[in-house]
Amino acid sequence: MAKPLTIARLFGRRNPTVYTVETSLLGKFADDKGPDPFLLYGVELEIENASSDWTVDGMQWKEDGSLRNEGLEFITQPMHYTTLSRCLSTFFETELDSDNYSERCSIHVHANCLDMTLQQVTTLLMMYQTFEQVLFHFIDNNSNPSWNRQQNIFCVPWSETQLTFRALQEMAEGNYHLLHRWQKYTALNLIPLGTQGTIEFRHMGGTNDLTYINMWLRIIGHLFRVAKSYEFDFIKSRLVNLNTTSQYDAILDFVFAECADSLRTFGYHYCLENGVLNLKYALAPTADTLGSMAASERREAARQRNRQWVEAQVPNGANPVPFGGAGELLRRAPPIPLGVFDEAERIVEAVGGLNVNIRRADDLLRRIDERVAARRQDILDATINGTQAPVPQFNWTPDGRWIAADFPRNEDR
Amino acid sequence: MYDTYTQENQRDFAARYCDTFGWLIDEKRNNKRLVYLAETDGDHLYFYSQLGGVKQHTIAGAGVMFEFIPVDHGWFKADNGAIYLLTRVPARQWKRGISRSNTSITGITGNNVPVNFEVMSSIFNEKNPQTYTYSSARPIALSKHFAIDAKKNVFFYDSLIGTEDNGIITLKNNHVLQELQDLVRRKKLPLEIKVG
């Protein structure tokens, strides 16, 4: 049986070295393994008026250009919830106050996805898309009111952009470059998925409230727990069918368990209603969008212009044939002598010479076959009638290709 | 976010807000109006507002308050009858007001619309409250989520979901049927919805 395609295999990453401490040292933290005991966290604490001396075991510090007033970023090594709780508890024994935090400060939580399949991560992101506004309400209700994190330019909600979890679905279809186009300053940043195998929750503002931080870590843990435990289709069907207050309550309990009550902030029904709508937007087919329709209209307008140009070049009485690709080739060229197009390679070369999209070669071949068959009939008719079919003229291009004599070259257009 | 121009924050203020849009809090009239913050020259902050579009200024430390909030994602109507899809762009930049680098505006025909004073003030002005309704005018925004274009295509944000004809919306599928029905019921819109 084939190994499941995990994020680690997909991006060729190894699992990180996990920071652990002896169980005896965990003390009161040992019993609480968090919602997902296997989930590895990495937390970045941005603090101003900070000292590197505050660093504790399992943590490093570095300077951060986005901070001021001797701001530092304290970064925990990859560790499980139990160890992280202990690490943060030790760190926050240092007395910090409002002088250490400004709207510039944030707490970023990286959560490891290396052991997850692409579909599990997609499930996770689909849930995130639905609950995003609920999560932001939780964050804003517990932060300094003047720091409104939803309006912050460093953690823009997905719901305010046109970015959706669909990017992961498209990645599953092989479009890995999509991750490169992702924006770092989204509330849930997917860029580290390709570089470290993590996703980064950038929602939380700077705080020394350990209960609040731990609750946030648990909320994230629950998203991972559910994503790893249930199939994509099961979660999707539960989410898209949410439309009553009782269902909103039930889904919060189902996903966030003991943390659900913390998320039941004022107006959370409205947030979930919007979340479901955002999810449906993400699930909507991508073919018919304003952008694609506009592009399609632009293409049609260009075709019209080209058609008019070609029409202007054609002598009166010439047979109109569909514009574009082989149609144009055939319409511009006099009848094609048999044998000219009898080799597929030469056809493709001709297509290249005419600067037509090579992917249309199949269509070209079909049309040329039809044209050749018609030509064959013409020659047969001419033979029967004792007349001679006209011989077409071709020119050689400077790079050794041939084109119909009156076919417009790019530079002529 | 609220901010005011002072002697102390001149450099920060210029870096964050010049060449962006914000709202001037007008305490006398108990309202706020869109302004384009153009430049600073130390003691003065120059901006354009909807009051005739003339260049105005405030003095550092005068206590004039500005509010800087990003746009909401959704359809907005302009006072000239056009409708626009506004979206935030999470690109790296320092500007905190609404600017070209953090905001995208798309027209109902899919064209990119510049983030300039003309467009912004046609959307955000006192005489153009963003109250959504239904009328025979086309294009029309039914809500932040739904809009109908001149060709009677119905959009969910930028996604084509159906067509409208004489007050009957025919959806391609029942994906957002519930939400549209809720919208029609809540706003008492004279629309009938069916799935084609």
Side-chain angles (χ1 to χ4, degrees):
Chain A
M1 189 176 158
K3 283 184 183 175
L5 185 60
T6 60
I7 298 296
R9 284 185 64 206
L10 197 62
F11 291 105
R13 305 256 155 219
R14 288 183 181 176
N15 283 319
T17 307
V18 182
Y19 175 81
T20 54
V21 293
E22 286 180 28
T23 311
S24 59
L25 295 175
L26 286 171
K28 63 177 179 178
F29 301 101
D31 294 337
D32 187 0
K33 302 207 178 299
D36 179 356
F38 303 103
L39 178 61
L40 289 173
Y41 296 89
V43 178
E44 302 167 359
L45 306 162
E46 295 175 346
I47 301 174
E48 292 186 334
N49 297 310
S51 162
S52 56
D53 295 341
W54 298 350
T55 312
V56 297
D57 279 351
M59 190 180 269
Q60 298 167 332
W61 66 272
K62 70 168 191 172
E63 291 182 351
D64 187 323
S66 68
L67 301 175
R68 290 190 184 176
N69 309 322
E70 299 172 3
L72 294 177
E73 187 174 45
F74 297 88
I75 305 167
T76 65
Q77 291 173 27
M79 56 181 90
H80 295 109
Y81 180 82
T82 312
T83 326
L84 182 61
S85 300
R86 176 183 173 275
C87 177
L88 293 177
S89 176
T90 312
F91 178 80
F92 283 110
E93 282 172 5
T94 303
E95 293 216 352
L96 303 174
D97 56 27
S98 57
D99 284 348
N100 297 107
Y101 295 103
S102 72
E103 46 127 5
R104 289 179 289 273
C105 303
S106 311
I107 294 179
H108 300 155
V109 179
H110 283 258
N112 182 42
C113 300
L114 285 170
D115 56 346
M116 296 171 76
T117 64
L118 198 54
Q119 191 169 54
Q120 287 174 330
V121 181
T122 308
T123 308
L124 173 83
L125 300 185
M126 177 174 64
M127 284 192 289
Y128 171 79
Q129 181 112 45
T130 311
F131 294 116
E132 183 182 59
Q133 290 192 16
V134 177
L135 300 180
F136 263 113
H137 259 231
F138 165 77
I139 292 291
D140 282 336
N141 273 5
N142 290 281
S143 304
N144 183 325
S146 66
W147 297 351
N148 195 325
R149 297 289 292 176
Q150 287 196 65
Q151 296 180 359
N152 192 304
I153 58 172
F154 302 113
C155 60
V156 178
W158 286 13
S159 60
E160 295 297 316
T161 72
Q162 286 179 324
L163 297 170
T164 68
F165 82 92
R166 210 162 46 198
L168 252 282
Q169 273 191 323
E170 290 180 38
M171 230 176 76
E173 291 158 15
N175 298 330
Y176 300 117
H177 64 278
L178 283 168
L179 219 47
H180 300 296
R181 291 213 307 261
W182 195 266
Q183 301 280 358
K184 174 181 175 181
Y185 293 102
T186 42
L188 181 58
N189 174 21
L190 301 187
I191 291 175
L193 196 60
T195 55
Q196 303 162 45
T198 66
I199 54 176
E200 182 188 21
F201 293 80
R202 300 173 58 87
H203 306 63
M204 186 173 251
T207 180
N208 60 349
D209 183 342
L210 196 54
T211 311
Y212 168 46
I213 297 172
N214 277 333
M215 181 61 78
W216 181 232
L217 295 174
R218 296 185 74 87
I219 287 169
I220 292 169
H222 278 300
L223 285 172
F224 276 78
R225 174 184 59 81
V226 175
K228 289 175 183 175
S229 309
Y230 297 92
E231 292 293 323
F232 175 85
D233 287 336
F234 172 75
I235 299 293
K236 178 182 155 188
S237 92
R238 284 207 65 167
L239 293 176
V240 295
N241 291 316
L242 290 174
N243 60 12
T244 63
T245 304
S246 57
Q247 285 177 339
Y248 292 148
D249 277 332
I251 196 76
L252 280 186
D253 288 331
F254 171 70
V255 175
F256 298 104
E258 83 285 355
C259 301
D261 282 342
S262 305
L263 297 171
R264 289 195 179 94
T265 53
F266 179 74
Y268 78 95
H269 291 123
Y270 176 75
C271 293
L272 259 176
E273 194 179 313
N274 264 334
V276 173
L277 205 48
N278 286 326
L279 172 65
K280 289 184 175 180
Y281 171 69
L283 291 169
T286 53
D288 295 330
T289 62
L290 274 178
S292 62
M293 289 169 71
S296 153
E297 283 179 12
R298 280 197 299 276
R299 277 197 298 274
E300 183 54 35
R303 274 195 208 104
Q304 288 282 359
R305 282 197 301 276
N306 282 342
R307 189 176 293 122
Q308 285 165 6
W309 183 90
V310 170
E311 294 297 336
Q313 311 298 313
V314 175
N316 287 337
N319 285 333
V321 294
F323 176 84
E328 182 168 317
L329 165 70
L330 298 173
R331 130 187 247 317
R332 301 294 302 159
I336 300 165
L338 282 176
V340 170
F341 284 130
D342 57 356
E343 291 178 36
E345 268 184 35
R346 295 189 64 185
I347 294 170
V348 174
E349 188 181 4
V351 170
L354 296 170
N355 202 21
V356 178
N357 192 329
I358 216 83
R359 282 177 295 185
R360 295 184 186 163
D362 284 344
D363 188 40
L364 282 169
L365 285 169
R366 183 181 56 76
R367 292 185 187 202
I368 288 168
D369 279 348
E370 289 169 5
R371 186 63 177 162
V372 167
R375 173 66 181 152
R376 203 185 297 262
Q377 187 62 45
D378 283 350
I379 291 173
L380 187 62
D381 290 344
T383 309
I384 291 168
N385 297 331
T387 57
Q388 194 172 358
V391 178
Q393 298 296 312
F394 290 91
N395 288 341
W396 288 91
T397 60
D399 58 349
R401 295 170 181 174
W402 57 264
I403 59 171
D406 57 346
F407 192 85
R409 281 180 250 169
N410 283 340
E411 57 266 32
D412 297 327
R413 293 196 184 196
Chain B
M1 174 185 287
Y2 293 94
D3 215 338
T4 181
Y5 187 60
T6 65
Q7 294 284 357
E8 292 75 34
N9 73 356
Q10 284 177 5
R11 275 186 62 190
D12 277 354
F13 198 95
R16 288 177 180 178
Y17 305 121
C18 279
D19 195 23
T20 75
F21 293 89
W23 274 264
L24 172 68
I25 306 298
D26 189 341
E27 289 176 351
K28 285 181 189 168
R29 296 167 67 193
N30 196 26
N31 68 6
K32 55 187 183 182
R33 63 175 188 269
L34 183 79
V35 290
Y36 169 70
L37 281 72
E39 56 188 345
T40 60
D41 69 356
D43 288 340
H44 300 90
L45 165 69
Y46 297 94
F47 59 90
Y48 293 86
S49 82
Q50 289 158 322
L51 293 179
V54 295
K55 193 173 185 178
Q56 299 171 278
H57 74 266
T58 180
I59 301 168
V64 175
M65 190 66 76
F66 297 91
E67 185 179 16
F68 298 95
I69 46 176
V71 298
D72 286 341
H73 182 200
W75 287 103
F76 286 80
K77 56 178 185 162
D79 57 9
N80 60 5
I83 61 171
Y84 299 113
L85 179 62
L86 271 58
T87 310
R88 286 176 68 183
V89 179
R92 183 190 179 93
Q93 26 76 39
W94 302 104
K95 302 294 182 191
R96 307 221 174 165
I98 299 170
S99 73
R100 294 173 191 86
S101 51
N102 64 23
T103 304
S104 156
I105 304 180
T106 309
I108 187 70
T109 55
N111 54 315
N112 286 323
V113 177
V115 183
N116 61 26
F117 194 78
E118 184 186 350
V119 173
M120 289 294 292
S121 62
S122 73
I123 300 170
F124 300 106
N125 71 58
E126 288 176 18
K127 295 172 187 167
N128 182 35
Q130 294 297 331
T131 48
Y132 297 95
T133 179
Y134 178 78
S135 73
S136 56
R138 294 289 178 277
I140 188 168
L142 301 175
S143 71
K144 279 188 180 172
H145 301 100
F146 300 104
I148 305 174
D149 74 1
K151 295 175 186 170
K152 299 189 175 179
N153 292 314
V154 181
F155 287 92
F156 169 28
Y157 288 138
D158 65 342
S159 191
L160 179 67
I161 55 168
T163 55
E164 183 263 354
D165 191 23
N166 290 325
I168 300 173
I169 289 179
T170 308
L171 298 173
K172 292 200 285 189
N173 55 45
N174 61 4
H175 208 53
V176 288
L177 176 65
Q178 175 80 49
E179 285 77 7
L180 256 177
Q181 283 175 336
D182 287 347
L183 174 71
V184 166
R185 195 179 61 247
R186 285 173 187 170
K187 301 210 167 196
K188 297 185 173 59
L189 303 178
L191 282 167
E192 187 185 322
I193 301 163
K194 60 181 186 179
V195 178

